[in-house]
Amino acid sequence: MFTSFFLKMLNREAASSKNESERIIESLRIQEGYRIADIGSGGGYFTLKFAKKIGKTGKVYAVDSQPKYLDFIRQQAEREGLDNIIFVLVAEDEVNLPEAALDLVFARNVFHHLTEPARYFRNLKRFLKPSGKLAIIDHKPKSGFSFVSIFRHYTPERLILQEMEKAGYFLMESLDFLPEQTFNLFGVK
Ligand SMILES: C[S@@+](CC[C@H](N)C(=O)[O-])C[C@H]1O[C@@H](n2cnc3c(N)ncnc32)[C@H](O)[C@@H]1O
Protein backbone atom coordinates (compact mmCIF):
# COMPACT_ATOMS: atom_id res chain seq x y z
CA MET A 1 0.00 0.00 0.00
CA PHE A 2 2.71 2.44 1.09
CA THR A 3 4.94 1.17 -1.75
CA SER A 4 2.29 1.86 -4.35
CA PHE A 5 1.63 5.33 -2.89
CA PHE A 6 5.35 6.12 -2.88
CA LEU A 7 5.93 4.87 -6.44
CA LYS A 8 2.95 6.80 -7.76
CA MET A 9 4.47 9.86 -6.11
CA LEU A 10 7.83 9.20 -7.84
CA ASN A 11 6.02 8.86 -11.17
CA ARG A 12 4.12 12.10 -10.62
CA GLU A 13 7.40 13.85 -9.89
CA ALA A 14 8.97 12.41 -13.06
CA ALA A 15 5.94 13.51 -15.11
CA SER A 16 5.76 17.08 -13.78
CA SER A 17 6.35 19.67 -16.48
CA LYS A 18 9.33 21.28 -14.74
CA ASN A 19 11.17 17.95 -14.93
CA GLU A 20 10.95 17.92 -18.74
CA SER A 21 10.68 14.16 -19.28
CA GLU A 22 9.87 14.53 -23.00
CA ARG A 23 12.92 16.72 -23.58
CA ILE A 24 15.07 14.25 -21.64
CA ILE A 25 13.88 11.39 -23.85
CA GLU A 26 14.44 13.46 -27.03
CA SER A 27 18.00 14.24 -25.94
CA LEU A 28 18.76 10.52 -25.63
CA ARG A 29 18.07 10.01 -29.38
CA ILE A 30 16.53 6.59 -28.77
CA GLN A 31 15.88 4.46 -31.84
CA GLU A 32 13.64 1.51 -32.47
CA GLY A 33 15.34 -1.73 -31.45
CA TYR A 34 17.48 -0.09 -28.76
CA ARG A 35 18.45 -2.01 -25.63
CA ILE A 36 18.25 0.20 -22.58
CA ALA A 37 18.92 -0.38 -18.88
CA ASP A 38 16.90 1.87 -16.56
CA ILE A 39 19.00 1.69 -13.41
CA GLY A 40 16.98 2.37 -10.25
CA SER A 41 13.76 2.17 -12.22
CA GLY A 42 11.58 3.12 -9.21
CA GLY A 43 7.92 3.43 -10.26
CA GLY A 44 8.85 2.81 -13.90
CA TYR A 45 7.91 6.15 -15.40
CA PHE A 46 10.90 6.11 -17.78
CA THR A 47 10.96 2.30 -18.17
CA LEU A 48 7.47 2.37 -19.68
CA LYS A 49 8.19 5.39 -21.89
CA PHE A 50 11.35 3.68 -23.21
CA ALA A 51 9.48 0.41 -23.79
CA LYS A 52 6.96 2.21 -26.01
CA LYS A 53 9.66 4.09 -27.90
CA ILE A 54 11.92 1.12 -28.79
CA GLY A 55 9.12 -1.10 -30.12
CA LYS A 56 8.92 -4.87 -30.26
CA THR A 57 12.50 -5.40 -31.42
CA GLY A 58 14.01 -3.49 -28.48
CA LYS A 59 14.35 -4.33 -24.80
CA VAL A 60 14.29 -2.35 -21.59
CA TYR A 61 15.94 -3.76 -18.50
CA ALA A 62 14.20 -2.37 -15.40
CA VAL A 63 16.91 -2.63 -12.74
CA ASP A 64 16.19 -2.04 -9.07
CA SER A 65 17.20 -3.24 -5.62
CA GLN A 66 13.57 -3.42 -4.41
CA PRO A 67 11.58 -6.45 -5.62
CA LYS A 68 8.27 -4.73 -4.83
CA TYR A 69 9.16 -1.83 -7.09
CA LEU A 70 9.82 -4.24 -9.96
CA ASP A 71 6.46 -5.95 -9.27
CA PHE A 72 4.72 -2.57 -9.46
CA ILE A 73 6.24 -1.90 -12.90
CA ARG A 74 5.48 -5.47 -14.06
CA GLN A 75 1.78 -4.96 -13.25
CA GLN A 76 1.70 -1.64 -15.07
CA ALA A 77 3.46 -3.16 -18.11
CA GLU A 78 0.93 -6.00 -18.22
CA ARG A 79 -1.94 -3.52 -18.07
CA GLU A 80 -0.42 -1.62 -20.98
CA GLY A 81 0.35 -4.79 -22.99
CA LEU A 82 4.11 -4.18 -23.03
CA ASP A 83 6.18 -7.37 -23.30
CA ASN A 84 9.62 -5.95 -24.06
CA ILE A 85 10.67 -5.27 -20.43
CA ILE A 86 13.01 -7.54 -18.49
CA PHE A 87 13.10 -7.18 -14.70
CA VAL A 88 16.48 -7.32 -12.98
CA LEU A 89 16.84 -7.41 -9.22
CA VAL A 90 20.09 -6.00 -7.83
CA ALA A 91 21.49 -7.55 -4.66
CA GLU A 92 24.47 -5.91 -2.97
CA ASP A 93 25.16 -3.65 -5.92
CA GLU A 94 25.80 -6.61 -8.27
CA VAL A 95 24.00 -5.93 -11.54
CA ASN A 96 23.64 -8.74 -14.04
CA LEU A 97 22.87 -7.83 -17.66
CA PRO A 98 23.90 -9.22 -21.07
CA GLU A 99 27.50 -8.35 -22.01
CA ALA A 100 28.19 -5.67 -24.65
CA ALA A 101 24.47 -5.45 -25.45
CA LEU A 102 23.22 -2.05 -24.31
CA ASP A 103 22.83 1.10 -26.38
CA LEU A 104 21.95 3.17 -23.33
CA VAL A 105 22.22 3.03 -19.57
CA PHE A 106 19.94 5.55 -17.88
CA ALA A 107 20.13 6.45 -14.18
CA ARG A 108 17.83 9.21 -12.95
CA ASN A 109 17.92 10.26 -9.30
CA VAL A 110 19.90 7.16 -8.34
CA PHE A 111 23.50 8.37 -8.09
CA HIS A 112 23.01 9.80 -4.59
CA HIS A 113 21.75 6.38 -3.36
CA LEU A 114 24.96 4.56 -4.30
CA THR A 115 27.59 3.98 -1.62
CA GLU A 116 30.42 3.45 -4.13
CA PRO A 117 29.29 5.03 -7.41
CA ALA A 118 32.65 4.64 -9.20
CA ARG A 119 32.68 0.90 -8.48
CA TYR A 120 29.00 0.56 -9.43
CA PHE A 121 29.37 2.28 -12.80
CA ARG A 122 32.73 0.62 -13.53
CA ASN A 123 30.92 -2.73 -13.26
CA LEU A 124 28.25 -1.58 -15.71
CA LYS A 125 30.78 -0.77 -18.45
CA ARG A 126 30.95 -4.32 -19.74
CA PHE A 127 27.22 -4.32 -20.55
CA LEU A 128 27.44 -1.32 -22.90
CA LYS A 129 28.15 -1.65 -26.61
CA PRO A 130 31.32 0.25 -27.64
CA SER A 131 29.03 2.93 -29.13
CA GLY A 132 26.74 2.91 -26.08
CA LYS A 133 26.19 5.84 -23.74
CA LEU A 134 25.31 6.35 -20.13
CA ALA A 135 23.02 9.13 -18.88
CA ILE A 136 23.08 10.38 -15.30
CA ILE A 137 20.51 12.79 -13.95
CA ASP A 138 20.62 13.80 -10.32
CA HIS A 139 19.36 16.62 -8.13
CA LYS A 140 21.47 19.73 -7.76
CA PRO A 141 22.38 20.54 -4.14
CA LYS A 142 19.51 22.34 -2.44
CA SER A 143 19.27 24.27 0.79
CA GLY A 144 16.18 25.26 2.78
CA PHE A 145 13.20 23.10 3.63
CA SER A 146 12.43 20.42 1.03
CA PHE A 147 12.48 16.62 0.71
CA VAL A 148 15.64 16.80 -1.43
CA SER A 149 17.55 19.06 0.98
CA ILE A 150 16.49 17.39 4.25
CA PHE A 151 17.30 13.85 3.06
CA ARG A 152 20.32 15.00 1.04
CA HIS A 153 18.93 13.44 -2.12
CA TYR A 154 21.40 15.24 -4.34
CA THR A 155 24.97 15.11 -5.66
CA PRO A 156 27.17 18.06 -6.64
CA GLU A 157 27.88 17.81 -10.37
CA ARG A 158 31.66 17.95 -9.92
CA LEU A 159 31.45 14.79 -7.77
CA ILE A 160 29.50 12.96 -10.49
CA LEU A 161 32.11 13.97 -13.11
CA GLN A 162 34.96 12.95 -10.81
CA GLU A 163 33.46 9.54 -9.97
CA MET A 164 32.62 8.78 -13.61
CA GLU A 165 36.18 9.64 -14.66
CA LYS A 166 37.40 7.20 -11.97
CA ALA A 167 34.94 4.59 -13.27
CA GLY A 168 36.48 4.82 -16.76
CA TYR A 169 34.03 7.02 -18.68
CA PHE A 170 34.49 10.27 -20.62
CA LEU A 171 32.02 13.14 -20.64
CA MET A 172 30.21 13.34 -24.01
CA GLU A 173 27.72 16.11 -23.26
CA SER A 174 26.38 18.19 -20.38
CA LEU A 175 22.79 19.30 -20.85
CA ASP A 176 21.63 22.26 -18.83
CA PHE A 177 17.89 22.58 -19.46
CA LEU A 178 16.74 20.98 -16.21
CA PRO A 179 16.17 23.64 -13.53
CA GLU A 180 16.70 21.38 -10.49
CA GLN A 181 18.91 18.59 -11.81
CA THR A 182 22.16 17.99 -13.64
CA PHE A 183 22.10 15.83 -16.77
CA ASN A 184 25.32 14.37 -18.18
CA LEU A 185 25.99 11.85 -20.94
CA PHE A 186 29.06 9.63 -20.83
CA GLY A 187 30.83 7.19 -23.13
CA VAL A 188 33.20 4.37 -22.22
CA LYS A 189 36.90 5.28 -22.46
C1 LIG B 1 14.61 8.30 -6.20
S1 LIG B 1 14.26 6.76 -6.94
C2 LIG B 1 14.34 7.18 -8.67
C3 LIG B 1 13.41 6.35 -9.48
C4 LIG B 1 13.37 6.65 -10.98
N1 LIG B 1 14.68 6.52 -11.60
C5 LIG B 1 12.82 8.03 -11.26
O1 LIG B 1 13.54 8.86 -11.83
O2 LIG B 1 11.65 8.27 -10.93
C6 LIG B 1 15.75 5.81 -6.69
C7 LIG B 1 15.61 4.35 -7.11
O3 LIG B 1 16.89 3.73 -7.08
C8 LIG B 1 16.76 2.43 -6.53
N2 LIG B 1 18.07 2.00 -6.03
C9 LIG B 1 18.72 2.35 -4.89
N3 LIG B 1 19.92 1.73 -4.82
C10 LIG B 1 20.04 0.97 -5.95
C11 LIG B 1 21.05 0.11 -6.46
N4 LIG B 1 22.18 -0.09 -5.79
N5 LIG B 1 20.84 -0.49 -7.65
C12 LIG B 1 19.68 -0.29 -8.36
N6 LIG B 1 18.69 0.51 -7.91
C13 LIG B 1 18.87 1.15 -6.72
C14 LIG B 1 15.70 2.63 -5.45
O4 LIG B 1 15.12 1.40 -5.04
C15 LIG B 1 14.71 3.54 -6.19
O5 LIG B 1 13.80 2.81 -6.96
Side-chain angles (χ1 to χ4, degrees):
M1 180 72 177
F2 175 75
T3 300
S4 153
F5 173 80
F6 173 67
L7 296 177
K8 284 179 184 162
M9 190 191 81
L10 282 187
N11 286 349
R12 265 200 307 279
E13 184 269 347
S16 93
S17 58
K18 77 171 187 312
N19 289 325
E20 304 255 27
S21 63
E22 288 308 322
R23 198 160 168 199
I24 291 173
I25 292 168
E26 248 172 60
S27 319
L28 298 170
R29 299 190 192 95
I30 292 168
Q31 292 167 25
E32 224 176 297
Y34 255 33
R35 288 176 182 241
I36 304 175
D38 184 8
I39 303 289
S41 45
Y45 181 82
F46 282 93
T47 298
L48 298 170
K49 291 258 178 201
F50 293 153
K52 287 171 198 160
K53 189 120 188 133
I54 57 174
K56 290 221 168 288
T57 55
K59 283 220 179 323
V60 182
Y61 297 86
V63 179
D64 209 288
S65 52
Q66 301 292 331
K68 284 186 178 168
Y69 296 7
L70 295 177
D71 288 342
F72 178 90
I73 304 175
R74 192 180 285 113
Q75 283 164 18
Q76 189 61 33
E78 278 169 16
R79 274 198 288 274
E80 298 195 25
L82 295 164
D83 58 3
N84 56 357
I85 303 174
I86 293 175
F87 298 90
V88 180
L89 183 63
V90 177
E92 305 194 358
D93 283 0
E94 288 304 324
V95 185
N96 203 8
L97 292 165
E99 304 258 332
L102 302 176
D103 298 285
L104 174 67
V105 171
F106 180 79
R108 178 179 182 272
N109 296 350
V110 180
F111 196 97
H112 62 264
H113 284 279
L114 303 173
T115 41
E116 288 182 83
R119 191 180 81 82
Y120 194 90
F121 287 106
R122 190 179 302 118
N123 288 341
L124 291 182
K125 275 196 311 194
R126 68 181 194 277
F127 307 126
L128 273 166
K129 289 180 182 172
S131 60
K133 58 194 173 195
L134 189 148
I136 296 186
I137 296 176
D138 208 7
H139 292 287
K140 294 175 184 169
K142 231 179 171 180
S143 55
F145 186 77
S146 72
F147 180 84
V148 171
S149 61
I150 291 166
F151 294 100
R152 293 185 164 260
H153 279 299
Y154 57 73
T155 317
E157 189 171 36
R158 64 173 165 71
L159 193 68
I160 294 176
L161 301 182
Q162 209 174 293
E163 291 297 294
M164 294 309 284
E165 163 83 29
K166 261 199 246 167
Y169 294 83
F170 68 93
L171 180 65
M172 291 170 98
E173 202 178 350
S174 280
L175 297 117
D176 62 3
F177 62 82
L178 296 172
E180 298 184 349
Q181 290 152 306
T182 58
F183 179 7
N184 289 290
L185 287 169
F186 299 90
V188 177
K189 272 196 219 163

